[in-house]
Amino acid sequence: MSEGEHKLYDERGQFMQAVKDGREIRDADWTTCRVVLTTDRVVLIGDEKRSVTIDALEQVNDRFDVNQAAAVEGSYTALKTEGTVFLVTTPDQGAFETALYKASLNNGILLVQHPAVEGGVIQDVEWTKAKVKISEEAIRLAVADGQKVTIDRNDIGDVDTDERTIDGQDRTVYEVEHTEDDRSVETHLTGEPHHTAVMGALLEEGVERHRANLDLDGVEKQVIMALHTGVSPFDIPEFVDRDVERVEEIFDRLIEYDVIEVERERTEVALTPEGRQVAGETIGDG
């Protein structure tokens, strides 16, 4: 390893080269290998050694099913560089991916707007540099203006992307909805291409942890929207014009689906990330 480079992950696994020189390899198959991740690169050691430089990553996809052998694999990480895609699977895919996020982002410098949106209201804040630190639990940002911003990886309600020109440079911006002091906020993040390639995968992984796969009726969505806009749980029956017993049944169902959670008393509830995601989708549908 080069000076300053150190190992973050070392485990037996498999890889498949799905794209070489820009061409998909339809007959590619999995090869057993040793997967070594350092602060600089991913090294795949099998019949020969293959290496992917972290700073060369253009995209980190969760799926790139080039053929049936790839499609039937339950979990892998797709590493895309110019003209090349490697699929990598390990016994603990989550641990490997978190190590990859750390390798790419830890101590990197991002541009941050925080809070860009607070309580649904756009805030007039400037882009500011921030140093990023990734852990199993959170994305932590030390902002140049002194702010300490923490985005809980279990509390990412939704992520949108936008293309903007910032300081004369075209950039991909991630708009991340999460909570701060029990209020909904958006933090906007961008950076160099090799940072945003991995940041996108990290944020989408957070969304997928909580993506609601629900079949909610109109009244249940009204309850979610009422909570999202600040209506007290005790006022919900009158707000949605339903009796208390019906609203209690709705609360039970939404708690079961992990859309709301009990805070103090039985009917004192608040939206979870999944619930905020449903609320955002309902607003969009409207």
Side-chain angles (χ1 to χ4, degrees):
M1 290 188 288
S2 61
E3 185 177 354
E5 180 181 9
H6 62 273
K7 189 188 302 182
L8 299 174
Y9 185 91
D10 188 347
E11 185 60 85
R12 300 295 297 176
Q14 296 185 99
F15 79 90
M16 176 189 294
Q17 185 164 4
V19 176
K20 182 177 181 181
D21 299 327
R23 299 178 61 182
E24 293 186 358
I25 305 174
R26 294 295 184 178
D27 61 351
D29 206 351
W30 293 102
T31 298
T32 300
C33 67
R34 178 183 169 197
V35 179
V36 178
L37 173 62
T38 75
T39 48
D40 293 343
R41 54 196 169 141
V42 180
V43 184
L44 308 171
I45 306 171
D47 53 348
E48 58 183 277
K49 184 184 293 185
R50 298 161 178 85
S51 183
V52 178
T53 303
I54 299 295
D55 286 353
L57 287 171
E58 296 179 349
Q59 199 168 5
V60 178
N61 294 324
D62 58 346
R63 301 302 301 182
F64 193 96
D65 293 336
V66 69
N67 58 24
Q68 186 64 18
V72 298
E73 179 61 40
S75 177
Y76 62 73
T77 303
L79 308 176
K80 179 182 179 182
T81 59
E82 186 176 3
T84 302
V85 176
F86 284 102
L87 314 182
V88 180
T89 179
T90 67
D92 187 341
Q93 205 67 21
F96 170 73
E97 290 182 349
T98 292
L100 179 64
Y101 303 148
K102 290 179 179 179
S104 176
L105 296 169
N106 271 4
N107 299 314
I109 302 298
L110 300 178
L111 291 175
V112 176
Q113 275 185 326
H114 178 83
V117 179
E118 184 175 359
V121 179
I122 297 174
Q123 305 297 301
D124 184 18
V125 294
E126 299 293 329
W127 286 100
T128 309
K129 290 183 178 180
K131 182 176 285 190
V132 62
K133 192 79 170 179
I134 306 299
S135 70
E136 295 280 355
E137 297 81 23
I139 303 165
R140 292 183 171 84
L141 303 165
V143 187
D145 63 10
Q147 291 186 89
K148 302 292 184 183
V149 180
T150 300
I151 302 174
D152 188 332
R153 290 175 62 184
N154 290 317
D155 184 49
I156 297 174
D158 203 1
V159 176
D160 289 323
T161 60
D162 193 13
E163 300 297 325
R164 304 185 200 172
T165 301
I166 302 170
D167 294 335
Q169 184 175 346
D170 293 337
R171 295 178 181 270
T172 298
V173 175
Y174 291 97
E175 303 171 349
V176 187
E177 191 277 336
H178 59 108
T179 58
E180 187 175 78
D181 298 328
D182 296 324
R183 69 188 190 279
S184 174
V185 300
E186 279 187 18
T187 299
H188 294 180
L189 304 169
T190 189
E192 296 301 320
H194 64 276
H195 286 147
T196 55
V198 177
M199 178 62 74
L202 169 58
L203 296 172
E204 287 299 329
E205 185 267 347
V207 172
E208 287 297 330
R209 290 185 184 189
H210 303 288
R211 188 174 300 279
N213 182 21
L214 306 176
D215 181 19
L216 302 180
D217 64 29
V219 178
E220 290 164 338
K221 290 181 179 179
Q222 287 179 43
V223 169
I224 289 173
M225 288 306 303
L227 292 169
H228 186 64
T229 54
V231 177
S232 166
F234 299 105
D235 295 331
I236 293 292
E238 181 179 359
F239 189 88
V240 299
D241 193 24
R242 295 293 188 278
D243 59 36
V244 172
E245 289 75 16
R246 170 61 175 139
V247 171
E248 285 289 330
E249 290 174 0
I250 291 172
F251 282 163
D252 285 337
R253 185 167 186 234
L254 296 180
I255 289 168
E256 180 182 353
Y257 278 115
D258 199 27
V259 171
I260 61 175
E261 59 192 356
V262 177
E263 288 194 333
R264 287 183 287 275
E265 299 299 328
R266 173 63 185 82
T267 51
E268 185 76 10
V269 297
L271 292 177
T272 64
E274 291 90 336
R276 299 196 305 273
Q277 188 177 68
V278 171
E281 291 171 353
T282 302
I283 292 172
D285 291 341

